Amino acid sequence: MGQPFSLPRDVLAITGQYFNPVRLALLREVCTDVASTVEGVSLHLLLKELNLMKMSPFATDQCLKVLCQWSPPLRTVKLGNCTRLTDAGIGYLPTDNLRFLDMSTCTALTDASLSKLCENATNLEVLNINNCTDITGNGLVTLAARCPELKIVNACDVAINARQLVGLAPLCPNLAEIALNCTSVTDVAVNELTEKCPKLMSISLCECKGIANSWLHPTCDTLQYVSLAYCFRTNGSIIDQLTQQCEQLQHIDLSQCRMIDDDSIMYIAQRCPFLKTLKVTAVYLITDDAIDTLTKGCKELEVLCIGECTGLTPAAVVSIGVNCTAALWKLDISALNVTDEGLQALAHSAFAGTLRQLYSSQLTRASAESISEVARNCPELEYWTLTGCLSLTDEVVGLIKECCPKITMLNVTKCPKLTVNDPATKPKPHSNNIFVSGNFHVSAKTSTLRVY
C-alpha cells in the first residue's frame, strides 16, 4: 500500500465543486484534508448552490444542519417539496449571501421561517413560497421589510389579504414579478402594488376571484406578462386599459374569463405587436373574426391556446394555419369543431416544421388521413394529445412514431378504433422514452414503440 499523502487545498476545493453536497458533508466527517479545506480560505469554491429537491422525501432539519454546519456561502437554495422541513431547519441556512430561495410546497413551514430568514438575508432577490399554506401575508411583509432587493415573489396558495398586500407594496421597490392566487385580494390592493412597484413586469392573479377591472394603476406601463385566468369578473374594460398602457405586453392568460369577447381580442391584436403567448381556453364569447384578426396582427405568436372556445367554428383553425408564422410552437385546439380542412391547414402551415406541442383532443370530425398528414409534416412534435379521436387507428399511431422521432408524450385514451389490450392496464414509460397513454398495443414485430 502506498504512503498516504495530502492534496493541496486549492485542488481539493476545485474538486469539491463536483460533489453532491450531501456526499461533501459526509466526506468532511471522515477526511481531515477535506475538513480543513472546507473551513479554509477556499470555501467559496465549494458550495454556492444547495438543491435538495431530488431527495425531498428524505430532507429533514437534521440534514440541513449537517450540510450547513460549516456555513457555506450559499447563493441558491432549492428546497421544493421538502415537506419534512420545519421552521427550525430553515434556521440552519447561512443566508448572508443568499439570492435565490425556493421553499415551494414545504407545507410544514410557517411565518417563523421567514422571520429567521430576514435576520441576515438582506440580499435575497427571488423567493418561492408557492403552496406553503401555513405562511401568511404577515410573514411575507416582515421579510420584505428587511429584503429591499426582492425582485421575484411566488406566493400562490399563501394566505394574503388586501391589507397585507397594500403593506407589501412600498417595501418592494425592485419587484419585477409576483404571483398570487388568493380570493381576498381586491382591485384596490393590486392597484396599490402596480403604483408602488415601478419595475413590475409580470403579474399573475390567477384565481383571484376578488379581482375585477380597476386593478391597474394609470402610471403602470411596464407589464409584459399578465395572467387573469379564472378571474371571472374580468371584462373588456381592463383589457382596453391594459393594452393601451402596456405597449410591451408579450404574454396574456385569460383562460376561463367568460366575460371576455371579440372586442378584447381585437384590442390585443391591434395593440400588442410583440405578443408571444395568448391563452383564452374556455372563453365562450370569442368568434372566428377575433381569431382571424389576432393571427394576422400578432406575427410573433409562439403559444396559442383556444381549446374549449365553443363560439369558434372550423374556420378558426384554418385561420391559424394560414396566418401564423414559424414562431408558433405550442397550439391548443382541444374540443373545437376541427375538420379535415383545419388539419390540412395546420399540416401545410409556416409553423408545421417548428410545432412542438399540439393539444387536439376530441377530434370527432377529422379523418385518419388528415391526422397522418399532420404527423408527416410536423417532425418536431414532442407532445400530442389525441384523446377521444374517433378515427385514430393503430396504423396512424405507428406512423406518428415514425414521422415524429422526438415525441415523448402521446395521449390517445378513449379512441375507439385502437386495438384493445387490457382496459385495466395503466400507461407505462417505455425504454425509448416515449410515453403513450391508451389501452391498446402495437406489435413489437412491426414497431419498436411498445404501447399499453
Side-chain angles (χ1 to χ4, degrees):
M1 181 182 294
Q3 295 296 316
F5 64 94
S6 297
L7 290 173
R9 277 187 174 184
D10 55 346
V11 173
L12 278 173
I14 293 171
T15 305
Q17 295 179 83
Y18 301 97
F19 278 95
N20 176 289
V22 177
R23 295 183 182 276
L24 188 62
L26 294 175
L27 271 176
R28 178 189 180 277
E29 299 299 314
V30 298
C31 178
T32 55
D33 279 346
V34 171
S36 63
T37 302
V38 165
E39 295 164 354
V41 295
S42 298
L43 177 64
H44 68 282
L45 292 174
L46 285 175
L47 186 59
K48 295 182 181 179
E49 176 176 329
L50 177 63
N51 187 349
L52 299 184
M53 296 177 73
K54 291 185 178 179
M55 56 174 290
S56 57
F58 313 104
T60 62
D61 293 347
Q62 183 61 25
C63 177
L64 269 188
K65 182 178 181 180
V66 170
L67 291 171
C68 299
Q69 61 183 322
W70 33 276
S71 298
L74 295 171
R75 294 173 62 90
T76 299
V77 174
K78 299 177 181 179
L79 305 174
N81 297 305
C82 294
T83 55
R84 298 175 65 185
L85 289 180
T86 70
D87 298 333
I90 299 302
Y92 296 127
L93 286 175
T95 56
D96 292 357
N97 297 285
L98 196 60
R99 301 289 193 276
F100 180 106
L101 178 60
D102 181 357
M103 302 192 301
S104 57
T105 319
C106 292
T107 50
L109 300 183
T110 70
D111 288 346
S113 63
L114 298 187
S115 297
K116 293 178 183 293
L117 286 171
C118 70
E119 294 175 5
N120 295 304
T122 55
N123 296 311
L124 189 65
E125 296 178 358
V126 179
L127 176 66
N128 186 353
I129 50 175
N130 174 37
N131 202 32
C132 292
T133 50
D134 286 337
I135 290 179
T136 71
N138 287 329
L140 185 57
V141 170
T142 300
L143 178 71
R146 295 291 301 273
C147 301
E149 299 301 318
L150 268 179
K151 296 178 181 178
I152 300 175
V153 175
N154 185 341
C156 290
D157 294 317
V158 173
I160 301 176
N161 60 37
R163 177 184 57 81
Q164 292 162 344
L165 188 60
V166 169
L168 178 69
L171 302 175
C172 301
N174 295 302
L175 190 67
E177 301 180 22
I178 188 167
L180 308 166
N181 68 345
C182 29
T183 56
S184 57
V185 169
T186 64
D187 279 4
V188 173
V190 180
N191 190 287
E192 185 81 5
L193 186 75
T194 56
E195 177 189 12
K196 297 296 176 59
C197 301
K199 299 179 182 180
L200 194 63
M201 298 172 62
S202 172
I203 186 166
S204 176
L205 301 172
C206 179
E207 298 183 4
C208 291
K209 295 181 174 65
I211 293 297
N213 301 289
S214 58
W215 56 265
L216 183 63
H217 193 271
T219 61
C220 180
D221 60 2
T222 54
L223 290 177
Q224 297 182 16
Y225 176 98
V226 176
S227 175
L228 297 169
Y230 299 91
C231 294
F232 300 129
R233 298 164 63 192
T234 296
N235 63 34
S237 63
I238 185 61
I239 305 303
D240 184 15
Q241 181 189 2
L242 183 65
T243 53
Q244 286 195 66
Q245 285 182 207
C246 304
E247 297 179 353
Q248 301 299 315
L249 276 172
Q250 296 182 24
H251 306 273
I252 303 174
D253 189 350
L254 300 172
S255 299
Q256 297 278 353
C257 293
R258 296 173 184 175
M259 298 175 68
I260 293 298
D261 56 16
D262 279 2
D263 288 342
S264 302
I265 306 303
M266 296 295 185
Y267 295 144
I268 295 170
Q270 295 164 5
R271 300 170 183 170
C272 302
F274 306 109
L275 189 71
K276 298 183 183 302
T277 301
L278 179 64
K279 299 180 181 181
V280 286
T281 303
V283 177
Y284 306 136
L285 298 180
I286 62 176
T287 68
D288 297 344
D289 289 341
I291 298 302
D292 187 60
T293 304
L294 175 78
T295 54
K296 287 178 178 177
C298 301
K299 292 301 184 181
E300 296 185 18
L301 205 59
E302 297 178 359
V303 175
L304 179 60
C305 299
I306 57 172
E308 302 178 46
C309 292
T310 54
L312 299 178
T313 74
V317 179
V318 175
S319 293
I320 294 170
V322 172
N323 298 326
C324 285
T325 69
L328 192 72
W329 62 268
K330 178 178 178 179
L331 177 62
D332 182 357
I333 52 173
S334 300
L336 295 187
N337 187 9
V338 181
T339 62
D340 286 348
E341 184 183 7
L343 288 187
Q344 290 290 337
L346 298 184
H348 298 282
S349 64
F351 58 83
T354 56
L355 192 65
R356 302 202 303 271
Q357 295 186 21
L358 178 59
Y359 300 77
S360 56
S361 61
Q362 300 180 42
L363 292 177
T364 57
R365 297 181 61 191
S367 66
E369 290 74 17
S370 294
I371 297 171
S372 299
E373 190 72 4
V374 173
R376 293 189 189 97
N377 289 277
C378 299
E380 299 296 316
L381 275 176
E382 300 170 3
Y383 194 116
W384 195 355
T385 59
L386 287 163
T387 308
C389 178
L390 301 184
S391 62
L392 192 67
T393 64
D394 292 359
E395 290 74 17
V396 176
V397 172
L399 179 68
I400 292 172
K401 183 263 172 183
E402 179 182 346
C403 296
C404 306
K406 296 183 180 180
I407 201 160
T408 56
M409 175 65 79
L410 180 63
N411 193 329
V412 289
T413 55
K414 301 180 181 179
C415 296
K417 288 190 176 182
L418 296 176
T419 303
V420 175
N421 183 14
D422 179 0
T425 301
K426 296 181 180 180
K428 299 178 181 179
H430 307 291
S431 59
N432 56 356
N433 295 322
I434 297 179
F435 189 97
V436 181
S437 176
N439 299 319
F440 64 95
H441 74 275
V442 172
S443 172
K445 295 180 180 179
T446 59
S447 174
T448 58
L449 173 60
R450 296 174 59 202
V451 187
Y452 293 84

